[in-house]
Amino acid sequence: MQRAKKSIRSKVALKEMLIRDLPELLKEDPLLKDYVASLFKENFADKRTTEEEIKALLEEIKNLRIESEKRWEEHSQILKEHSKRFEEHSKRFEEQSQILKEHSKRLEEQSQILKEHSKRLEEHSQILKEHSKRLEEHSQKLEELSQGNKILMEEILALRKRQDVQIGALGARWGIKSEKTFRNAVKGLLEETFGVKVEHYETTDLEGEVFEGFPGKTVEIDLIIRDGELIVAEIKSSVSPADVLLFERKVKFFEKKEGRRVTRKIIISPMIDREAKNFCKSLGITFYTDVPDREAGL
């Protein structure tokens, strides 16, 4: 135990002595210096090698720095471009957002207008329904009226037949055999005395416009032409309201078919009842008869 302790003390003392005296000994003894250097040569590189390695390391660090700066500059350029593009995209996005806001506003306005139009359309649909209902009612009334007109036409035809019978009485009263004979007499009188032209117009009512519901009937009227004035005359033994209506239909039919405007309408008859006279006045028809309220002549 005492020997171990003593040995340790000797090593410590030797170590302290080497630390203290070795630098001076190496300066004084070159052989010792070379010997010590050879001992550390395997574990430590020499100065020159170390400088070269440091130089190479510094060169590598320099190259890395240059490459890093180059890449940083490239990245900075790319970043600038990206920033520029991002700014442009942001600007476009802002513009698109503004356009979208305007479109949204317009869409809202259009939606409001559409709502108003829908409301008006609904109101118009309601009005249309009411009009359709009224039209249906009017159509029904018109159909009833048409049926009444058909009955009226049948009555007119019946009256026409009765008038044909009355013509004989009229001829006996005036000494004339028929209306045709009387027409011829009036025609001769007017043409020879007053210098007017008298024509007998006769055509077929193919569509049944005059005798409603009875197409194919013959329509006859007398035309008196004087100084460009066209006068339509009807000569009958007696005149009822139905005869006045029929005469008016004949005039309208003539104007439509021939494209000529009638300037005056005349009915000549010895017998015109009060209601027929009122019809004539309302329709602008001049009538001549043998009753006290006879109108002026031609």
Side-chain angles (χ1 to χ4, degrees):
M1 178 67 71
Q2 292 295 329
R3 289 180 181 180
K5 290 181 180 180
K6 187 177 180 180
S7 177
I8 293 172
R9 289 175 183 171
S10 297
K11 290 180 179 180
V12 171
L14 179 59
K15 184 177 181 181
E16 292 176 353
M17 187 266 296
L18 288 173
I19 293 172
R20 185 182 64 251
D21 299 332
L22 182 59
E24 190 65 29
L25 291 174
L26 292 175
K27 291 179 181 180
E28 296 176 355
D29 191 347
L31 294 177
L32 180 60
K33 181 179 179 181
D34 293 337
Y35 176 73
V36 172
S38 64
L39 292 175
F40 293 97
K41 190 175 182 178
E42 296 180 359
N43 297 318
F44 299 96
D46 57 10
K47 181 179 180 181
R48 183 177 179 181
T49 302
T50 301
E51 289 177 352
E52 291 177 355
E53 291 180 353
I54 291 173
K55 186 176 180 181
L57 180 61
L58 291 175
E59 186 68 22
E60 185 177 355
I61 292 173
K62 180 181 178 181
N63 292 334
L64 288 173
R65 181 177 60 78
I66 293 173
E67 182 69 20
S68 177
E69 289 178 354
K70 183 178 179 182
R71 290 183 180 180
W72 173 255
E73 186 176 355
E74 292 176 353
H75 290 167
S76 298
Q77 186 64 27
I78 293 173
L79 183 61
K80 287 181 181 179
E81 293 178 357
H82 286 175
S83 298
K84 184 178 179 181
R85 291 179 182 178
F86 179 76
E87 186 177 355
E88 292 175 355
H89 290 168
S90 298
K91 185 177 179 181
R92 290 179 182 177
F93 178 76
E94 185 177 356
E95 293 174 354
Q96 293 296 329
S97 298
Q98 185 65 27
I99 293 173
L100 183 62
K101 288 180 181 178
E102 293 177 359
H103 286 175
S104 298
K105 183 179 179 181
R106 291 179 182 177
L107 181 61
E108 185 176 356
E109 293 174 355
Q110 293 295 330
S111 299
Q112 185 64 28
I113 293 173
L114 183 61
K115 288 181 181 179
E116 294 177 358
H117 286 176
S118 298
K119 183 178 180 181
R120 292 180 182 178
L121 181 61
E122 186 176 355
E123 293 174 353
H124 290 170
S125 298
Q126 185 64 29
I127 294 172
L128 183 60
K129 288 181 180 178
E130 295 177 358
H131 287 176
S132 298
K133 183 178 179 181
R134 292 179 182 177
L135 181 61
E136 186 177 355
E137 294 175 353
H138 290 168
S139 297
Q140 185 175 358
K141 291 180 180 178
L142 184 61
E143 185 177 356
E144 294 174 356
L145 181 61
S146 178
Q147 187 65 26
N149 287 339
K150 186 176 291 187
I151 295 173
L152 180 60
M153 287 298 104
E154 292 176 355
E155 293 177 354
I156 290 173
L157 292 175
L159 286 172
R160 181 74 178 185
K161 291 180 180 179
R162 289 198 298 270
Q163 289 167 3
D164 291 339
V165 176
Q166 294 173 352
I167 290 174
L170 180 63
R173 181 177 178 181
W174 290 345
I176 302 173
K177 186 176 180 181
S178 64
E179 288 184 1
K180 185 175 182 180
T181 305
F182 184 72
R183 286 196 192 96
N184 291 334
V186 173
K187 179 177 182 297
L189 178 64
L190 292 174
E191 289 181 343
E192 294 173 7
T193 305
F194 298 99
V196 299
K197 184 179 180 181
V198 180
E199 295 180 358
H200 181 69
Y201 177 81
E202 183 176 328
T203 187
T204 303
D205 179 14
L206 299 175
E207 303 296 331
E209 295 181 35
V210 178
F211 302 97
E212 186 177 2
F214 297 91
K217 297 294 182 179
T218 300
V219 176
E220 297 181 61
I221 54 176
D222 293 308
L223 306 178
I224 302 173
I225 303 172
R226 181 184 65 177
D227 298 331
E229 185 180 16
L230 178 59
I231 303 171
V232 177
E234 178 84 338
I235 301 173
K236 296 185 68 64
S237 59
S238 63
V239 177
S240 67
D243 295 321
V244 177
L245 177 61
L246 181 60
F247 175 64
E248 180 68 16
R249 286 177 179 246
K250 287 181 180 181
V251 173
K252 297 297 182 184
F253 176 78
F254 168 79
E255 289 181 327
K256 178 180 177 183
K257 184 176 179 61
E258 302 300 328
R260 299 170 65 182
R261 188 177 70 86
V262 174
T263 56
R264 192 176 181 189
K265 299 172 286 186
I266 297 174
I267 291 179
I268 302 173
S269 176
M271 292 180 290
I272 304 177
D273 64 30
R274 186 182 300 275
E275 189 176 358
K277 292 177 182 178
N278 292 333
F279 267 43
C280 288
K281 292 177 182 179
S282 64
L283 295 173
I285 299 172
T286 301
F287 60 87
Y288 295 92
T289 183
D290 61 354
V291 295
D293 59 351
R294 179 186 305 159
E295 295 187 4
L298 291 172

